[in-house]
């Protein structure tokens, strides 16, 4: 009888030990997958990004300083009206980790967000706006050595109804208050730029402070006018079935008139814009290149990215940095779930006999 009790105790001990080992394995797998998918994957992917090199001759015996700037667009932080808590948590965690990892690895000096920071700014109450702003400041926190500049987008304030940051929402051209103010400010900037290129002694510019002889970089939310994305290409361009869809002026892109005004007034050397959520490169009349920056959020595309720019007063170089694809993270989670299921079924010997035999054979080889 004592021998039987001893045998039962030993059997129960082995069962308890096996369950503890199984629980430990499950815990290790779950924690490892969570850490990889929600933290380490951002370092693994962004580690491949490097600042582009500006090739320029030394002036006056020394190299001109290079400004390192990040450009991202269309974060679309969800609000209380359209935002489900789980969707908000998932997307905002993705953008926060991507941004903080990029700051730590790439060390930019300035970050520009090209509009549509919020998704519901045009509907938000004062309290909802304050809550959304607090979340934005937490997600995109940065040290004092980094400047963060934000361009207004249509989802931030609604449709109407050196860097030049333009409120392109105000480029309707219908004489509204913000439109008139924006155009007046742009004309003044244009006058100062033109004065800086004139010979000293001109009657209109005698007492005008001279700006550096440098064509500006234009930053805005809406792209300048283009008929469609038909000529856009690349893995983060619009899907092929959407590229030939005509753009609507003042909704998808700026009007022809507003675009011509900006090109004429500012004569930029580079234009960066957002709004479309997809990448595109366009060469405008006069030779001004425009780069449309894709969305930074998984909510708008599977493969978000941002632009890295190395800029001097006369030259620039751009490169693109991709964030982790959402499909990669979801596939990793599915594979981990399948592995956990196999682990549990193998523990309770619920697998088919042939699969179970292979499982035991693999375990025996691993123990050697």
């Amino acid at each position: 009888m004592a021998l039987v009790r001893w045998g039962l105790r030993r059997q129960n001990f082995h069962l308890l030990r096996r369950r503890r080992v199984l629980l430990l394995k499950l815990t290790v797998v779950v924690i490892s997958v969570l850490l990889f998918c929600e933290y380490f994957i951002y370092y693994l992917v962004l580690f491949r990004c490097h600042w582009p090199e500006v090739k320029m001759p030394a002036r006056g015996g020394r190299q001109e300083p290079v400004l390192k700037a990040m450009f991202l667009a269309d974060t679309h932080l969800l609000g209380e009206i359209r935002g489900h808590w789980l969707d908000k948590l998932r997307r905002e965690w993705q953008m926060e980790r991507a941004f903080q990892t990029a700051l730590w690895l790439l060390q930019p000096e300035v970050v520009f967000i090209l509009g549509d920071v919020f998704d519901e700014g045009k509907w938000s109450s004062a309290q909802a706006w304050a809550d959304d702003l607090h979340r934005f400041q937490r997600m995109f926190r940065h040290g004092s050595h980094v400047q963060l500049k934000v361009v207004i987008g249509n989802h931030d304030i609604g449709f109407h109804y050196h860097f030049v940051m333009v409120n392109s929402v105000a480029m309707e051209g219908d004489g509204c208050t913000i439109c008139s103010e924006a155009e007046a400010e742009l004309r003044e900037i244009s006058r100062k730029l033109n004065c800086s290129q004139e010979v000293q002694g001109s009657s209109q510019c005698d007492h005008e402070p001279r700006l550096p002889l440098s064509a500006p970089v234009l930053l805005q939310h809406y792209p300048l006018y283009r008929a469609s994305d038909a000529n856009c290409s690349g893995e983060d361009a619009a899907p092929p079935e959407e590229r030939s869809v005509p753009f609507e002026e003042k909704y998808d892109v700026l009007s022809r008139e507003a675009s011509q005004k900006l090109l004429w007034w500012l004569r930029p050397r580079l234009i960066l814009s957002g709004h479309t959520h997809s990448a595109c490169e366009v060469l405008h009349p006069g030779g001004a290149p425009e780069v449309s920056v894709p969305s930074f959020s998984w909510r708008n595309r599977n493969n978000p990215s941002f632009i890295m720019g190395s800029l001097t007063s006369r030259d620039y170089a751009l490169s693109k940095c991709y964030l982790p694809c959402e499909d990669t993270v979801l596939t990793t989670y599915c594979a981990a779930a399948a592995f956990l299921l196999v682990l549990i079924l193998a523990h309770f010997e619920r697998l088919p006999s042939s699969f179970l035999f292979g499982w035991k054979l693999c375990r025996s080889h691993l123990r050697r």
Side-chain angles (χ1 to χ4, degrees):
M1 196 67 178
L3 188 61
V4 171
R5 287 199 196 101
W6 180 81
L8 288 173
R9 287 197 194 108
R10 185 177 181 184
Q11 185 178 6
N12 290 336
F13 172 77
H14 282 298
L15 287 173
L16 182 60
R17 184 181 177 186
R18 287 187 63 197
R19 288 175 183 173
R20 286 178 177 173
V21 170
L22 175 64
L23 182 60
L24 179 61
K25 289 180 179 179
L26 296 179
T27 303
V28 169
V29 171
V30 169
I31 292 176
S32 299
V33 171
L34 281 172
L35 285 175
F36 175 77
C37 290
E38 305 300 333
Y39 193 81
F40 291 118
I41 191 172
Y42 295 97
Y43 290 90
L44 184 66
V45 173
L46 293 179
F47 186 75
R48 298 176 296 180
C49 301
H50 301 282
W51 291 104
E53 184 177 351
V54 181
K55 295 181 179 179
M56 56 183 179
R59 293 187 176 92
R62 60 180 181 180
Q63 290 286 344
E64 188 175 356
V66 177
L67 177 71
K68 294 180 178 179
M70 273 174 52
F71 304 91
L72 53 104
D74 295 279
T75 53
H76 283 274
L77 271 68
L78 292 172
E80 62 179 11
I81 300 172
R82 297 167 56 182
H84 186 275
W85 69 268
L86 182 59
D87 192 16
K88 289 166 66 174
L89 176 66
R90 184 80 192 116
R91 269 52 176 174
E92 290 180 11
W93 174 256
Q94 170 256 320
M95 288 189 286
E96 180 178 350
R97 287 312 325 145
F99 183 76
Q100 296 301 325
T101 305
L103 286 188
W104 189 83
L105 283 176
L106 303 174
Q107 299 289 310
E109 298 169 71
V110 60
V111 178
F112 294 98
I113 302 181
L114 304 180
D116 280 359
V117 173
F118 306 104
D119 194 62
E120 301 175 8
K122 53 188 176 182
W123 304 309
S124 292
S125 63
Q127 184 57 52
W129 174 264
D131 292 342
D132 292 345
L133 181 61
H134 176 73
R135 286 171 25 239
F136 166 76
Q137 292 171 337
R138 173 182 52 78
M139 291 168 56
F140 293 92
R141 62 190 180 276
H142 55 280
S144 57
H145 60 287
V146 179
Q147 296 185 60
L148 179 65
K149 304 291 184 181
V150 178
V151 177
I152 292 174
N154 57 289
H155 276 263
D156 297 318
I157 63 172
F159 290 101
H160 166 58
Y161 217 57
H162 70 199
F163 294 94
V164 177
M165 302 193 336
V166 173
N167 176 5
S168 53
V169 179
M171 295 301 294
E172 292 284 307
D174 59 0
C176 71
T177 302
I178 61 171
C179 298
S180 299
E181 292 175 357
E183 289 203 10
E185 290 178 3
L186 285 168
R187 286 195 187 96
E188 179 63 17
I189 292 172
S190 176
R191 188 182 69 82
K192 290 181 177 180
L193 289 170
N194 288 334
C195 281
S196 297
Q197 296 177 16
E198 290 183 6
V199 178
Q200 197 78 21
S202 172
S203 59
Q204 295 182 348
C205 304
D206 276 347
H207 304 291
E208 187 68 44
R210 298 300 171 113
L211 300 175
L213 288 175
S214 173
V217 175
L218 177 61
L219 307 177
Q220 57 187 32
H221 179 63
Y222 283 107
L224 296 183
Y225 175 79
R226 61 177 182 260
S228 68
D229 271 354
N231 295 323
C232 306
S233 60
E235 59 183 294
D236 54 353
E241 65 273 13
E242 296 179 11
R243 294 180 193 175
S244 298
V245 177
F247 281 152
E248 181 181 343
E249 294 184 51
K250 301 184 180 182
Y251 188 86
D252 298 307
V253 292
L254 289 180
S255 66
R256 286 183 177 90
E257 181 184 359
S259 300
Q260 290 169 357
K261 283 182 179 179
L262 288 171
L263 289 172
W264 173 253
W265 286 339
L266 302 175
R267 301 182 185 183
R269 56 182 163 132
L270 173 67
I271 304 153
L272 290 150
S273 59
H275 187 62
T276 64
H277 300 171
S278 300
C280 189
E281 295 185 14
V282 180
L283 190 64
H284 291 286
E290 179 178 4
V291 177
S292 289
V293 182
S295 175
F296 194 68
S297 173
W298 276 344
R299 187 167 181 259
N300 298 319
R301 58 182 311 108
N302 177 54
N303 58 339
S305 61
F306 60 91
I307 298 294
M308 300 169 62
S310 301
L311 303 105
T312 67
S313 62
R314 297 175 183 271
D315 305 289
Y316 68 85
L318 303 178
S319 66
K320 186 170 293 182
C321 182
Y322 287 92
L323 306 182
C325 292
E326 187 174 27
D327 283 353
T328 301
V329 175
L330 295 178
T331 301
T332 303
Y333 275 128
C334 290
F339 177 76
L340 289 176
L341 180 61
V342 170
L343 195 65
I344 293 171
L345 292 176
H347 175 81
F348 292 105
E349 299 185 353
R350 293 291 188 269
L351 293 173
S353 56
S354 58
F355 196 99
L356 188 61
F357 174 76
W359 176 268
K360 290 180 177 179
L361 188 63
C362 288
R363 289 182 62 188
S364 64
H365 279 294
L366 289 173
R367 287 175 179 172
R368 292 178 181 177

